[in-house]
């Protein structure tokens, strides 16, 4: 499993500890809490907005995914409020940076 090659294809995987079930971020083969092996699973892509900003006509938000991983992404539909539920609709790597696009769920 290679996190970045999957992300490039638009698949957002997360690593989760087999022992203590912690979601480990940045993604890793090993748990940073109990040093057990992690396994990989596809992320639900669902999260909550914890912060947002607007640049020109585009909103960007920090979202907490699955109550643990914080990512920065662009909001492609809707106007964000803190606490809104979002879903990641696209992700990848551009110019050596991870990017995420998200929509706001009703
Ligand atoms: Zn662990």
């Amino acid at each position: 499993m290679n996190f970045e090659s999957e992300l490039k294809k638009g698949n957002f995987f997360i690593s989760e500890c087999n022992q203590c079930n912690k979601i480990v971020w940045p993604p890793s083969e090993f748990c940073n809490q109990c040093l057990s092996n992690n396994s990989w699973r596809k992320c639900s892509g669902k999260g909550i907005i914890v912060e947002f900003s607007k640049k020109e006509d585009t909103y960007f938000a920090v979202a907490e995914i699955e109550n643990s991983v914080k990512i920065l992404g662009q909001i492609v539909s809707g106007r964000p409020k803190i606490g809104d539920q979002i879903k990641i609709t696209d992700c990848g790597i551009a110019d050596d940076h991870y990017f995420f696009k998200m929509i706001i769920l009703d």
Side-chain angles (χ1 to χ4, degrees):
M1 223 326 282
N2 182 300
F3 174 77
E4 293 198 341
S5 60
E6 287 298 328
L7 192 69
K8 269 184 204 161
K9 291 186 253 173
N11 299 319
F12 182 25
F13 276 83
I14 52 178
S15 51
E16 193 170 42
C17 178
N18 295 327
Q19 210 50 246
C20 71
N21 298 321
K22 184 178 193 273
I23 294 176
V24 179
W25 186 261
S28 165
E29 301 284 333
F30 302 100
C31 178
N32 55 9
Q33 186 163 279
C34 72
L35 307 178
S36 298
N37 287 317
N38 292 334
S39 51
W40 295 94
R41 69 171 168 85
K42 203 160 179 183
C43 181
S44 70
K46 288 190 176 166
I48 304 260
I49 293 180
V50 292
E51 219 179 292
F52 67 90
S53 61
K54 192 180 184 189
K55 196 175 167 192
E56 282 145 25
D57 282 330
T58 308
Y59 284 104
F60 294 88
V62 176
E64 190 176 83
I65 305 297
E66 297 196 14
N67 299 315
S68 67
V69 178
K70 285 202 179 83
I71 56 110
L72 173 68
Q74 182 187 340
I75 294 171
V76 291
S77 92
R79 281 177 71 156
K81 290 190 312 294
I82 304 285
D84 277 354
Q85 299 203 354
I86 58 92
K87 183 166 173 37
I88 295 172
T89 54
D90 191 21
C91 61
I93 301 179
D95 300 328
D96 288 334
H97 292 286
Y98 300 166
F99 73 82
F100 296 94
K101 292 183 180 176
M102 55 183 97
I103 57 169
I104 292 168
L105 301 176
D106 295 328

